[in-house]
Amino acid sequence: MTKIVEKQTWKNWAHTSVSTPEKIIYPSSIEEVCTIVKDAALHNKKIRVVGAGHSFTKIVQTNDWLLSLDLLSGIQELNEEEDTATILAGTRLYAIGEALGKKGYSQENLGDVNVQSIAGALSTGTHGTGLAFGNVSTQVIALKLVTASGEVLSLSEKNNPEYFKASLVSLGMLGIIVEVTVRIIKSPVYEYISDKISYEHLEKHLEALIHTNRHFEFYLFPFSDLVQVKTMNITDKSPQSLKGHYYKNLILENYLFYIISETCRIFPKTSSFFSKMSAKAIGKANITSHSYNLFATPRLVRFREVEYSIPLEHMKSVLREIRKQIETKRYNVHFPIECRTVKGDEIWLSPAYNRDSFYIAFHMYKGMPYEEYFYDMEQIMKKYEGRPHWGKMHKRSNRELRDLYPKFTDFQIIRNELDPKGIFLNDYLADLFSNTTENQVLNL
Ligand SMILES: Cc1cc2nc3c(=O)[nH]c(=O)nc-3n(C[C@H](O)[C@H](O)[C@H](O)COP(=O)(O)OP(=O)(O)OC[C@H]3O[C@@H](n4cnc5c(N)ncnc54)[C@H](O)[C@@H]3O)c2cc1C
């Protein structure tokens, strides 16, 4: 049965978006979702859906009705002949990992946390790393969407492919995703290696590192010539206990990093020292385990984040420019810069649309000024056709997004068809996706 909580303040993970919706509604069936949408139309209310609230922008924010699919959770069907799983849209990624893991399966790739709901992760184009793999939305082969009329649309590559490609990264604007079917793989055992190398070495071997490892990422440390590199490859070795790794990670990357971050917040000039020190302190780690134990790490230190995808061929030029800019401007930043690769896809609003991509993420500790650092980094990204991650902070306008996404207008047409009254829009999205170049909001 639907649960309703009235006038409760809602905050996202980063505390960058706060609102008090009239109601937070927790439907427990797809039929209840349809009824709620019809009710909202009758009462002239807008609806935003929330997953785990892990997006950094005001993408979810509403004072009307906020819908959470936390009660619409679980794996509906595991098809071992087709290697697919049909999952209710509110299911958290860690719960999918655990349930699939018990049956010897896993998702082929994930980002670095696993607390998001599957629909929330898809809706912003959440990605991991590895040039053979697209973002999480590319794992989806079919989905069910409750549209503004309260009907359920079944979409797939065969069944209405245009709507399907538009809906796979749609920021909750085309309707409420209630069920998804994803491709899964027989869960491999991975060897995870983390080490530090010099920036010079990284640059020289970057292409090889990207192409010869199944999953490869690296972290640039501001003001340091050392880089942390992480790889994950399939191995024949037996999985080992992860207790030591988990606690080391919890203590070093969370508790100790929290103390460092607080010191930098109170004494910002120490940031460069702590960044260099953190780079030097990286030790070698080598762990063998199943993927659901390795992709995600706990993230207890809160931060703000900007992340961009740029065409892969620009990666070295961008890296050089970022490093130079940080040396010149000497920002007070101690968080490392996370760099990953993602295979190009055909999803209309995917930042990796039609191009293999290099993703670069800039973080700033909560409570420290981020504006100048983020602004300058966005200017560099702009020069290299950078497309912002939809779940992260950015300053791109409607007009700029239109130029960056060849299918932007097609997406707007479908949005208008499916939701002519803008029931699923909030102010933030209306501003970014309005139909005119003047940013006027239509259909509200
Ligand atoms: C600590 C941290 C680590 C992160 N790591 C990564 C990473 O490694 N890679 C990466 O790419 N991103 C990463 N992100 C960003 C995050 O994955 C995305 O912002 C993701 O969308 C959040 O999922 P969520 O479930 O919290 O969705 P929310 O933030 O709650 O919602 C995101 C969007 O999805 C929509 N939505 C949610 N549910 C539905 C539904 N059922 N139907 C339709 N629309 C829906 C919402 O309306 C909203 O537009 C990270 C964020 C944090 C805070």
Side-chain angles (χ1 to χ4, degrees), residues 10 13-14 48-56 59-60 67 69 89-90 92 110-113 115-128 145 170-173 175-178 299 303 305 307 338 340 359 389-392 429:
W10 173 87
W13 178 88
R48 289 301 295 153
V49 199
V50 61
H54 268 53
S55 297
F56 290 82
I59 198 170
V60 160
L67 202 81
L69 299 193
R92 302 298 175 100
L110 285 173
D112 57 19
V113 294
V115 290
Q116 305 96 320
S117 73
I118 181 80
L122 303 177
S123 298
T124 62
T126 295
H127 64 93
L145 185 74
S170 53
L171 296 82
M173 282 185 289
I176 300 164
I177 298 169
V178 285
R299 287 272 181 262
F303 52 83
E305 183 175 348
E307 185 175 32
E338 189 176 15
R340 297 178 273 187
Y359 276 74
H389 187 307
W390 292 112
K392 313 221 172 155
L429 290 166

Side-chain angles (χ1 to χ4, degrees), residues 135-335:
N135 63 40
V136 177
S137 306
T138 64
Q139 297 168 20
V140 178
I141 58 163
L143 60 83
K144 285 190 181 157
L145 185 74
V146 175
T147 64
S149 60
E151 316 295 323
V152 182
L153 274 187
S154 292
L155 305 175
S156 67
E157 198 60 68
K158 286 200 187 117
N159 200 359
N160 208 335
E162 299 267 290
Y163 277 25
F164 181 58
K165 281 183 188 141
S167 64
L168 285 170
V169 176
S170 53
L171 296 82
M173 282 185 289
L174 300 188
I176 300 164
I177 298 169
V178 285
E179 189 185 279
V180 295
T181 302
V182 295
R183 274 183 295 106
I184 50 175
I185 57 168
K186 298 259 166 14
S187 184
V189 173
Y190 288 108
E191 182 171 34
Y192 160 95
I193 298 177
S194 161
D195 205 352
K196 61 173 174 282
I197 58 174
S198 70
Y199 177 77
E200 202 184 340
H201 184 90
L202 173 93
E203 226 195 76
K204 205 160 156 201
H205 299 281
L206 191 51
E207 281 85 3
L209 286 163
I210 286 171
H211 290 283
T212 56
N213 289 294
R214 185 174 164 103
H215 303 284
F216 166 72
E217 69 179 312
F218 62 93
Y219 290 86
L220 292 180
F221 285 78
F223 315 105
S224 170
D225 281 329
L226 293 172
V227 177
Q228 181 179 20
V229 287
K230 293 183 179 179
T231 58
M232 254 173 57
N233 290 297
I234 294 179
T235 178
D236 294 335
K237 294 181 189 168
S238 308
Q240 62 190 94
S241 159
L242 281 182
K243 260 193 191 153
H245 169 65
Y246 179 79
Y247 287 113
K248 200 170 148 196
N249 187 290
L250 204 63
I251 292 165
L252 291 180
E253 288 194 18
N254 288 281
Y255 299 138
L256 183 61
F257 195 55
Y258 171 73
I259 294 168
I260 290 175
S261 299
E262 273 296 292
T263 310
C264 292
R265 186 179 65 77
I266 298 163
F267 306 105
K269 290 283 171 221
T270 59
S271 302
S272 62
F273 166 77
F274 280 113
S275 176
K276 283 189 270 195
M277 194 197 81
S278 305
K280 270 194 200 150
I282 291 161
K284 189 166 175 143
N286 189 323
I287 301 146
T288 305
S289 189
H290 287 283
S291 63
Y292 49 88
N293 290 322
L294 288 177
F295 279 120
T297 45
R299 287 272 181 262
L300 306 179
V301 178
R302 280 179 219 274
F303 52 83
R304 313 274 188 258
E305 183 175 348
V306 162
E307 185 175 32
Y308 267 76
S309 127
I310 57 159
L312 191 67
E313 59 269 24
H314 296 320
M315 62 184 172
K316 283 188 182 168
S317 317
V318 167
L319 287 173
R320 285 182 205 133
E321 210 166 319
I322 291 169
R323 279 168 50 86
K324 195 169 154 213
Q325 179 77 4
I326 291 175
E327 282 299 333
T328 311
K329 285 275 196 102
R330 313 280 314 165
Y331 310 98
N332 292 324
V333 56
H334 67 287
F335 262 72

Side-chain angles (χ1 to χ4, degrees), residues 127-128 130-131 133-135 340-344 352 355-357 359:
H127 64 93
L131 203 49
F133 306 100
N135 63 40
R340 297 178 273 187
T341 54
V342 174
K343 186 180 175 185
R355 62 193 205 193
D356 286 344
S357 299
Y359 276 74

